[in-house]
């Protein structure tokens, strides 16, 4: 099956545009830097261990929980690692940044009749931090986190809860996300149009592409590439 081109997506007839937050609209470098550098340095200072050992602890715990709700839950990380993740995150909030062209794209979307829903795996505390810094929610009709449904976007339960709670017709929905696993889950759930963001992180890059894992999705470097198409449809 050939992935659709931008012009193949019936933007004016979509029911819903689902947008991820981190790595799709906001620079994922904020989060990558936190987990690989800021948090290990803090753990090392608090626990009296080397930064290398602290980094390995974070990576090991991430590997055990990746793709589950615990991976995205700050309270779970606080209990498991033994440091207050919320307070450390808060000290870094001033580093939250839009990806280039993201706001122009969101303004273009406002010209279309489709509902705009921010659907993120981020913990509600993280969503609140980013809302305070860049007011991301002002461009959306609704904002939800996977914690609202007690299931991450990688799980079928998220998509069934989304359909049930908001009456979304997934056959008339587009999802824009940088996560291969999330896009695969959306594909299995019946989301008609899927767009993979290939440059989610301005500093650390992206490990792979969905097409190499059998994902049927259109690839763009950033949402900025979609703006002109959406404007032409609006």
């Amino acid at each position: 099956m050939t992935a659709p081109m931008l012009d193949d997506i019936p933007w004016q007839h979509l029911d819903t545009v689902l947008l991820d937050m981190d790595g799709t609209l906001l620079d994922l470098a904020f989060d990558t830097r936190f987990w690989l550098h800021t948090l290990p340095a803090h753990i090392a200072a608090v626990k009296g261990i080397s930064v290398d050992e602290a980094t390995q602890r974070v990576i090991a715990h991430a590997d055990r929980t990746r793709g589950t709700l615990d991976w995205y839950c700050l309270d779970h990380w606080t209990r498991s690692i033994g440091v207050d993740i919320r307070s450390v995150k808060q000290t870094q909030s001033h580093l939250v940044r839009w990806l280039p062209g993201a706001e122009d794209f969101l303004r273009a979307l406002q010209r279309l009749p489709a509902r705009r829903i921010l659907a993120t795996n981020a913990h509600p505390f993280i969503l609140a931090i980013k809302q305070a810094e860049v007011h991301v929610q002002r461009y959306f009709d609704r904002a939800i986190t996977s914690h609202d449904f007690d299931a991450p976007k990688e799980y079928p339960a998220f998509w069934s809860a989304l359909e049930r709670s908001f009456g979304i017709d997934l056959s008339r929905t587009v999802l824009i996300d940088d996560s291969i696993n999330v896009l695969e889950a959306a594909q299995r759930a019946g989301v008609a149009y899927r767009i993979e963001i290939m440059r989610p992180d301005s500093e650390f890059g992206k490990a792979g592409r969905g097409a190499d894992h059998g994902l049927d999705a259109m690839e763009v470097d950033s949402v900025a590439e979609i703006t002109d198409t959406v404007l032409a449809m609006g």
Side-chain angles (χ1 to χ4, degrees):
M1 181 176 178
T2 302
M5 302 296 291
L6 283 176
D7 290 340
D8 295 331
I9 299 175
W11 293 97
Q12 287 190 334
H13 302 289
L14 291 176
D15 177 66
T16 307
V17 178
L18 291 174
L19 281 153
D20 176 48
M21 181 171 67
D22 303 316
T24 297
L25 300 173
L26 304 184
D27 193 342
L28 193 61
F30 170 82
D31 304 280
T32 308
R33 190 187 309 110
F34 176 83
W35 293 106
L36 293 183
H37 300 285
T38 305
L39 182 59
H42 181 79
I43 292 171
V46 170
K47 302 289 186 181
I49 60 178
S50 70
V51 173
D52 284 345
E53 182 180 348
T55 300
Q56 289 308 309
R57 289 187 185 185
V58 171
I59 292 173
H61 190 67
D63 288 342
R64 287 193 296 270
T65 58
R66 192 177 309 279
T68 70
L69 198 62
D70 283 344
W71 200 98
Y72 302 103
C73 181
L74 300 189
D75 302 319
H76 172 81
W77 275 89
T78 292
R79 292 191 299 269
S80 301
I81 299 297
V83 298
D84 186 352
I85 304 294
R86 293 187 187 216
S87 66
V88 185
K89 274 278 190 182
Q90 189 71 67
T91 65
Q92 304 297 303
S93 63
H94 62 286
L95 299 174
V96 173
R97 297 286 186 273
W98 289 100
L99 283 167
E103 283 194 278
D104 288 339
F105 171 70
L106 290 171
R107 283 189 283 266
L109 275 184
Q110 291 177 323
R111 300 175 57 171
L112 301 182
R115 284 181 296 178
R116 301 172 305 279
I117 297 180
L118 181 68
T120 176
N121 273 330
H123 188 276
F125 181 76
I126 298 302
L127 176 58
I129 283 179
K130 295 180 177 182
Q131 169 65 9
E133 289 296 325
V134 298
H135 307 292
V136 63
Q137 290 178 245
R138 63 182 161 175
Y139 295 106
F140 291 91
D141 300 302
R142 295 293 299 266
I144 59 173
T145 82
S146 54
H147 291 70
D148 295 327
F149 297 148
D150 200 31
K153 292 188 291 182
E154 291 88 337
Y155 283 25
F158 175 89
W159 298 98
S160 58
L162 185 70
E163 286 183 283
R164 183 173 61 251
S165 299
F166 298 103
I168 290 176
D169 182 352
L170 295 182
S171 70
R172 298 178 59 204
T173 295
V174 60
L175 169 68
I176 308 175
D177 205 302
D178 67 298
S179 168
I180 296 169
N181 291 336
V182 169
L183 288 160
E184 287 176 334
Q187 180 175 311
R188 292 191 294 270
V191 174
Y193 305 99
R194 300 160 303 277
I195 301 176
E196 180 182 1
I197 300 299
M198 305 306 295
R199 294 184 182 272
D201 190 316
S202 65
E203 294 182 22
F204 300 94
K206 185 170 180 174
R209 57 193 292 262
D212 294 334
H213 300 270
L215 176 66
D216 176 22
M218 196 189 70
E219 298 177 355
V220 296
D221 282 347
S222 72
V223 292
E225 293 184 26
I226 315 173
T227 302
D228 287 344
T229 299
V230 171
L231 285 172
M233 299 288 182

